[in-house]
Every structure is written in structure tokens, then in C-alpha cells.
Amino acid sequence: MAVDLLLGLQWGDEGKGKIVDVLTKNYDIIARFQGGPNAGHTLEFDGIKHVLHTIPSGIFHDNAVNIVGNGVVIDPVIFKKELENLKKFNLDIASKLFISRKAHLILPTHRLLDAASEASKGKAKIGSTLKGIGPTYMDKTGRNGMRVGDLELENWKDKYRALADKHESMIDYYDVDLEYNLKELELEFCEGVEELKKLTFIDSEEYLHQAQREGKKILAEGAQGSLLDIDFGTYPFVTSSNTTAAGACTGLGVPPNKIGKVFGIFKAYATRVGSGPFPTELFDEDGKTMARVGNEFGATTGRPRRCGWLDLVALKYAVQVNGVTDLMMMKGDVLSGFKTLKICTSYNYQGKEISHLPYNIEPENVTPIYTEVEGWEDDLTKMSSDEELPNALNSYISFLEKELEVPIKIVSVGPDRTQTIHR
Ligand code: GDP
Ligand code: IMO
Ligand code: MG
């Protein structure tokens, strides 16, 4: 059986959590393959909103096992809090959630290093979620990291100490004001580790290979979005992992020829949280309306998200890099009430019109060129079938499908599980 992927095509927060939850009934295994608690994946059903950071978004279903893959970085402190939040729902976590031994651990000092690095950058800061993601992946690629499997060794605390001591001297190097009590942070870390150790650690690549042989259906859940990819995103304003399709191969041990469908998910407009270029960003009333109606605040940090028109140049690039087979358009309901809508179909790049994403998309190089289309007034949030959708929205969808050359298979019209139209 092939492994299907679900990936964000923009700067994250496209609605991955909601759609993974919707699709889980069709799968036996949901697996996260990269990122860590910088992610905030929201799902809503029965009037309750849940935000998950490291735990895959299939956790509320009885039919699926959830796996945190080797490409993920885990903060035991945040993990423990996530587990505590789930307690009241009486889920059988022990038999439904498995952790890869090869996943790397975020130490308290990784978080401190993240804060020190950002503080030292001043205005040039990345706008990191400060969860220690960058420093943890640096230790991974630098071959210094600590992995979940290390926690099964008796001397894991020695390994921890050596790494944390090294980090402390690196924090000093940054020469920034950073107040912290490492003893307290370490206590909290050890408590988190004890909770983590209650779960089953697995060789997830082996588990997944076996599952494939048995014909099990697997969905890989991406975090962040393609424009935050370490290689293909708006570097250096990116995260530290491969958020694109190839990341699922390295982050789970799935060979490329075993990838099936690639679900690409995007908002009907665009948002970004943190720093970095965003060609179609709006600073006017339209942008404020999107932020207000779309309730655009980060699920992890609560920071307001920057909003703008849909950028088809960037979206085409993401479709191409990921090999998207099916598109899913989220938050169409937020655009109800705009008389006209703009879609960025090309860029003016240093005086020339181009339709591909160039190396540099800073505002001094790039101005978006828009196609204007008719908006719709109708409230979409109670609509449940394709036939009910207003003509102007159908035209918007057809326009995007023609430009992107990939069908839009899901139109989401609200945050709830049920507010999902399959086409
Ligand atoms: P993720 O990181 O990709 O899982 O997305 P987030 O959970 O960070 O952000 C998406 C936000 O939009 C969440 O608050 C969702 O509840 C909400 N949401 C998802 N789909 C829709 C939709 O179709 N309409 C509206 N209005 N909200 C949506
Ligand atoms: P989900 O999975 C939106 C952004 C941060 C920052 C940059 C680097 O919920 O879509 P990091 O913490 O990785 O050092 O931050 O990436 N970022 C996200 N933006 N959604 C996310 O995840 C994000 N994870 C990281 O805001 O600009
Ligand atoms: Mg999010």
C-alpha cells in the first residue's frame, strides 16, 4: 500500500489538523514526519476545539494508530502537557500513540539557545516560535543530538548533561540578557521524560514497512508549510526541517516509490506568522477583515497572523515541489462579503513580469500583479454540498484548478469537522 501525504502549501496554518481529522476514518495509521511543537494543529468537533502540537491529528479516532516519526523533534515538557489535555477525553493513548526511537529530543537549553539566537538578531530575527526547533535540528545534523531511544539507556542523564553544559557555554557566547533557572527547567524536563517513557517507543520505519506489507492505509501529516521548508522556503525565514513531500521519505523511512496521493492544502487567501517576505500581504481594511473573520491568531504562540491575497505564483511552486495530486481549499467562508477578490497571478520582478518564484521575493524586488475576480455574499458555513456553493465561488475554484492543473477535492467552509465539502 502506498503512503498518502497531507502537506501545507503556504506558510503554515492552512488547516492541516482539521483535514487530517476529517480523513482519519479512511486510514489505519496517521504519522507525523517533521517539525515539532512549533506546530499548532486545530481540530473542532462536538463544539470543542483541540490544539495539538506534536501528537498527530488522528488521535481522536478509534480506528487509527498515531505515530510520531523519526523526523519529528519532541519536547517532553510540551508532550506531557498535550497528554494531560487529552486525559479528560478518555482516549486509549497507550495503544494508539507510538513514538519513534530515532526522533530527536528538544532539551530546555535548546529552547534557551533559540531565544538567545533570536535576541541577538534584533530586527533580523526569524520570528521563531522559540520552541527550540532550530537548535535541535542543528544538533541532529551536527551529530550531537539526543534521541528518544537514548532514554532507554541507563546513562541517558550523562549524555544529557554533556550536551546541556555545552549549550550553556553557547548561550554565553550570544551575550544577550536571558534570565533562566536551569535547575527548574531540568526538573520539568525530567518529569516530561518520565511521561514520555510510559508510551511505547518503536522503530517506526520497521513498523511502517510491516504495516504496508499488511495492506494498512497510512497518512503522513505534514507540519508548517512548503514556503517554510528549509530548502525551498523563503530562507532564512523558514523552519529547520523539510516540510515538503520529500520530508516524509526521510522523516518516516518511506521510500519515494511508495508515496501515493499528495494532498496539498491551502487557504483561499494567504497568511504568515513571524518575519519574512510576503508579496501579497495587505496592510489595509481588507487584510484586517481577513484577520478578524478568519480569527487569524497563531495556534501555538497566539501571535496575530499577517494576511493577504492568494499568491498563485507561490502556490504553483509549492504544487510543483510537492507533486500535489489533490488540492484542498480552506477558509473560503472567510472571503464571503468581499465585492471583488484579487489573485496574484504573476510578479513584477525588477521591472519584468515573471510567473515563477524567484530567488529573492523581498518587496524591493517583487510587486504582485493581480487578476481581479467577482466575490460572493453568501454565508458558506451551513453549506454541505458542491451544488449549494455560489457561482462566484465556483468560478474562483475553476480558475485556480485551471491555473494549478490539479483538482480541488475538498472545500472547507468552517472550522468544524462537518463543515467540509467533498467534490
Ligand atoms: P494547521 O496548523 O494547518 O493545522 O492550521 P491551524 O490550526 O494552525 O490554523 C487553522 C485555523 O483555521 C484553525 O483555527 C482552524 O480551526 C480554522 N479553520 C480550519 N478550516 C477552516 C475553514 O474552512 N473556515 C474557517 N473559518 N476556519 C477554519
Ligand atoms: P503549523 O504546523 C505557521 C514559523 C514561525 C517562524 C518560522 C520559524 O501549525 O502550520 P520555528 O519555530 O520553526 O523556529 O519558526 O516558522 N512557523 C510556523 N508558522 N505555522 C506553523 O506550524 C509554524 N511553525 C513554525 O512563525 O516564522
Ligand atoms: Mg498551525
Side-chain angles (χ1 to χ4, degrees), residues 12-14 16 38-42 299-300 305:
D13 304 329
E14 295 88 352
K16 299 175 289 294
N38 49 349
H41 293 182
T42 315
T300 295
R305 297 181 185 136

Side-chain angles (χ1 to χ4, degrees), residues 125-141:
K125 71 174 185 191
I126 308 295
S128 166
T129 59
L130 301 179
K131 303 295 177 197
I133 305 296
T136 306
Y137 279 113
M138 279 164 73
D139 270 339
K140 174 178 177 175
T141 52

Side-chain angles (χ1 to χ4, degrees), residues 184-234:
E184 267 175 32
L185 295 175
E186 286 181 338
L187 199 65
E188 199 184 38
F189 179 77
C190 289
E191 285 167 7
V193 165
E194 289 316 309
E195 279 308 303
L196 196 61
K197 282 168 84 173
K198 289 182 189 160
L199 297 179
T200 307
F201 299 163
I202 58 169
D203 298 324
S204 56
E205 62 283 14
E206 175 57 25
Y207 184 97
L208 290 172
H209 289 160
Q210 198 54 42
Q212 280 176 278
R213 265 184 243 125
E214 289 166 13
K216 298 254 165 74
K217 294 188 77 186
I218 303 168
L219 177 67
E221 173 180 1
Q224 290 78 54
S226 300
L227 301 174
L228 290 171
D229 182 277
I230 183 72
D231 284 281
F232 299 108
T234 49

Side-chain angles (χ1 to χ4, degrees), residues 23 65 83 85 108 301:
L23 296 181
V65 160
L83 290 172
N85 286 341
T301 58

